[in-house]
Amino acid sequence: MLEETLGPVGHVAFVVPDVREAMRAMAPCGLRWSSVTRPTALMQGAAGTVQEVHVDYVASAGGEPRVKLISAVPGSVFETPERGGIHHLSYWVDDLESATYRLSTQGWSVEATGLESHGAPRFRYLIDTNGSRIELGQTALRQEFDDWADS
């Protein structure tokens, strides 16, 4: 149903204890990786509180769906899942607010929104009643992401 609403998956993300170690462990998969980056993510929770989160992340190069590895940060949306596995599936959307609204009518709720330094939404995590998580990324930022991932 999500693919009908949002289109194809842009990336599959895993939260891992150590990004570089996870890259080494995935070497048999034959993935080519972007550089590891360490941004400060401004994450606004559903209650409106903004948290600065320092994460390492990397993405596979060469097309979609990409694999993204994100370092675990206790006390944030980037906690290591209890049983491991996929942290989220990511989709590109033209209108973040419209897509969020459409998904909210299907039972999804906002978990957190990633903000630009000036406070504008950059991406958003939504979660369903089963605990499945998706990320909505703005299509306007896709080329910047692709250029970084493929560099």
Side-chain angles (χ1 to χ4, degrees):
M1 179 185 274
L2 282 176
E3 192 160 305
E4 293 170 8
T5 302
L6 299 172
V9 172
H11 69 254
V12 178
F14 299 86
V15 171
V16 296
D18 183 290
V19 167
R20 286 171 179 80
E21 179 59 34
M23 290 168 66
R24 282 189 290 278
M26 294 184 86
C29 297
L31 297 172
R32 189 169 49 91
W33 297 103
S34 67
S35 58
V36 176
T37 188
R38 185 177 176 85
T40 298
L42 296 176
M43 302 300 300
Q44 182 176 32
T49 304
V50 176
Q51 176 185 27
E52 283 190 9
V53 181
H54 304 279
V55 296
D56 289 339
Y57 70 91
V58 66
S60 63
E64 294 181 333
R66 296 179 188 278
V67 173
K68 188 174 183 182
L69 304 175
I70 305 167
S71 61
V73 179
S76 77
V77 71
F78 304 112
E79 295 240 23
T80 304
E82 277 184 37
R83 292 181 249 169
I86 295 172
H87 182 263
H88 67 267
L89 299 178
S90 182
Y91 298 89
W92 295 107
V93 297
D94 292 333
D95 184 333
L96 191 58
E97 300 308 324
S98 174
T100 299
Y101 175 76
R102 282 194 325 269
L103 289 165
S104 72
T105 66
Q106 298 174 25
W108 293 83
S109 58
V110 173
E111 180 181 31
T113 301
L115 304 174
E116 297 280 2
S117 59
H118 53 81
R122 183 173 178 85
F123 61 91
R124 181 165 289 144
Y125 288 116
L126 291 95
I127 196 161
D128 72 3
T129 56
N130 297 316
S132 297
R133 179 183 294 113
I134 61 172
E135 175 188 27
L136 302 178
Q138 296 191 64
T139 304
L141 302 172
R142 184 178 185 166
Q143 191 62 54
E144 173 187 334
F145 180 84
D146 287 345
D147 290 347
W148 163 76
D150 290 334
S151 65

